[in-house]
């Protein structure tokens, strides 16, 4: 359980997220994920990184239960800093990052895939930000890299989701494949990239980031400020408490 990294083929590093059952990542896990992505990029033999996950879905965001266990705001600060570091590690990785997404991709998962270079999705994959239902904000920066502006706003306000097939239509997902073929498809694309000259690939990554029209780091940090504000005002605690009550009621059949 946790984050692990291995070499799948010459030039191809694979970073796997494994926090069963739903990959809700604790604060320390986000920092570890950032460290593993950076380590993969520092290795001059690496030409491409595949970011994948075990379990039911690709990512369920931060571990809200961890924050609720600790009084005060330090757990929130740690989670937000961890997410910032992990998202930045994907974007700033010196080589392309391919995200292989299965099942649900929520919250922090959107931050990861929105900053990735290539997205390969299983045919069961769905993408969304349930932040407003949790009393938080964030990762609209990254959702806006996946869907058009007005759809992003509708999804954000409603906490709705889109399918991999819809993102394929928009061009943000490169391929949609049966879930059982997801890893093989991602590795096939990775092998194509890894076959190129690594010096050119690294220069290409710097060039593409350099011409990006959006400063993803500044934009996401701006969003995080409103999450802190909602928590300081006590709004987030109220919403999370209602969410827990509703969840308990559904589980009890009431």
């Amino acid at each position: 359980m946790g984050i692990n990294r291995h070499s799948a083929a010459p030039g191809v590093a694979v970073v796997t997220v494994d926090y069963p059952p739903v990959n809700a990542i604790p604060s320390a896990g986000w920092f570890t994920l950032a460290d593993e992505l950076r380590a993969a990029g520092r290795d001059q033999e690496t030409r491409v990184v595949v970011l994948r996950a075990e379990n039911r879905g690709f990512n369920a965001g931060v571990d809200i239960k961890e924050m609720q266990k600790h009084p005060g705001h330090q757990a929130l600060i740690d989670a937000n800093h961890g997410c910032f570091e992990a998202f930045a590690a994907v974007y700033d990785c010196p080589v392309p990052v391919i995200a292989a997404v299965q099942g649900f991709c929520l919250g922090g998962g959107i931050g990861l895939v929105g900053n990735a270079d290539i997205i390969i999705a299983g045919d069961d994959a769905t993408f969304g930000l349930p932040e407003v239902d949790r009393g938080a904000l964030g990762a609209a920066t990254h959702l806006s890299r996946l869907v058009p502006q007005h759809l992003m706003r509708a999804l954000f306000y409603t906490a709705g989701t889109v399918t991999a097939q819809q993102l394929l239509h928009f061009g943000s997902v490169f391929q949609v494949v049966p879930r059982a073929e997801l890893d093989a498809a991602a590795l096939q694309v990775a092998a194509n990239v890894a076959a190129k000259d690594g010096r050119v690939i690294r220069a290409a990554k710097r060039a593409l980031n350099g011409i990006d029209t959006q400063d993803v780091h500044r934009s996401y940090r701006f969003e995080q400020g409103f999450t802190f504000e909602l928590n300081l005002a006590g709004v987030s605690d109220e919403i999370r408490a209602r969410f827990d009550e509703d969840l308990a009621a559904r589980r009890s059949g009431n």
Side-chain angles (χ1 to χ4, degrees), residues 67-170:
M67 286 191 288
Q68 292 174 315
K69 289 178 182 177
H70 299 89
H73 298 293
Q74 190 59 50
L76 170 68
I77 293 171
D78 291 344
N80 277 16
H81 284 181
C83 285
F84 185 91
E85 292 297 321
F87 300 172
V90 173
Y91 187 82
D92 294 329
C93 186
V95 298
V97 175
I98 298 173
V101 182
Q102 85 277 11
F104 45 81
C105 178
L106 303 171
I110 296 294
L112 297 173
V113 303
N115 274 358
D117 295 272
I118 300 171
I119 304 169
I120 311 294
D123 56 9
D124 64 337
T126 57
F127 302 75
L129 290 175
E131 314 308 278
V132 296
D133 284 344
R134 306 292 188 270
L137 299 177
T141 294
H142 311 91
L143 184 60
S144 68
R145 298 167 71 82
L146 301 176
V147 300
Q149 176 68 207
H150 284 85
L151 178 56
M152 179 277 288
R153 288 171 179 260
L155 292 171
F156 199 85
Y157 294 142
T158 64
T161 61
V162 290
T163 66
Q165 292 78 7
Q166 287 173 290
L167 294 190
L168 181 68
H169 170 75
F170 293 125

Side-chain angles (χ1 to χ4, degrees), residues 64-76 131-137 226-246:
I64 296 177
K65 292 180 180 179
E66 178 189 49
M67 286 191 288
Q68 292 174 315
K69 289 178 182 177
H70 299 89
H73 298 293
Q74 190 59 50
L76 170 68
E131 314 308 278
V132 296
D133 284 344
R134 306 292 188 270
L137 299 177
F226 291 95
T227 296
F228 287 125
E229 183 178 304
L230 288 167
N231 276 269
L232 288 172
V235 175
S236 300
D237 287 336
E238 292 178 18
I239 292 175
R240 283 194 292 263
R242 288 201 301 268
F243 175 79
D244 288 342
E245 291 173 2
D246 292 342

Side-chain angles (χ1 to χ4, degrees), residues 22-35:
V22 296
N23 289 324
I25 303 180
S27 299
W30 290 104
F31 287 104
T32 301
L33 177 56
D35 290 342

Side-chain angles (χ1 to χ4, degrees), residues 176-236:
V176 176
V177 299
R179 177 165 177 167
E181 300 173 14
L182 178 60
D183 284 331
L187 290 174
Q188 184 175 20
V189 175
N192 190 327
V193 176
K196 316 300 182 187
D197 189 299
R199 296 166 296 183
V200 178
I201 289 297
R202 286 171 179 264
K205 180 64 182 278
R206 291 197 302 272
L208 292 177
N209 279 9
I211 65 171
D212 205 330
T213 58
Q214 184 180 38
D215 184 338
V216 295
H217 305 322
R218 183 204 62 79
S219 181
Y220 177 53
R221 191 61 176 157
F222 180 82
E223 289 187 75
Q224 286 187 314
F226 291 95
T227 296
F228 287 125
E229 183 178 304
L230 288 167
N231 276 269
L232 288 172
V235 175
S236 300

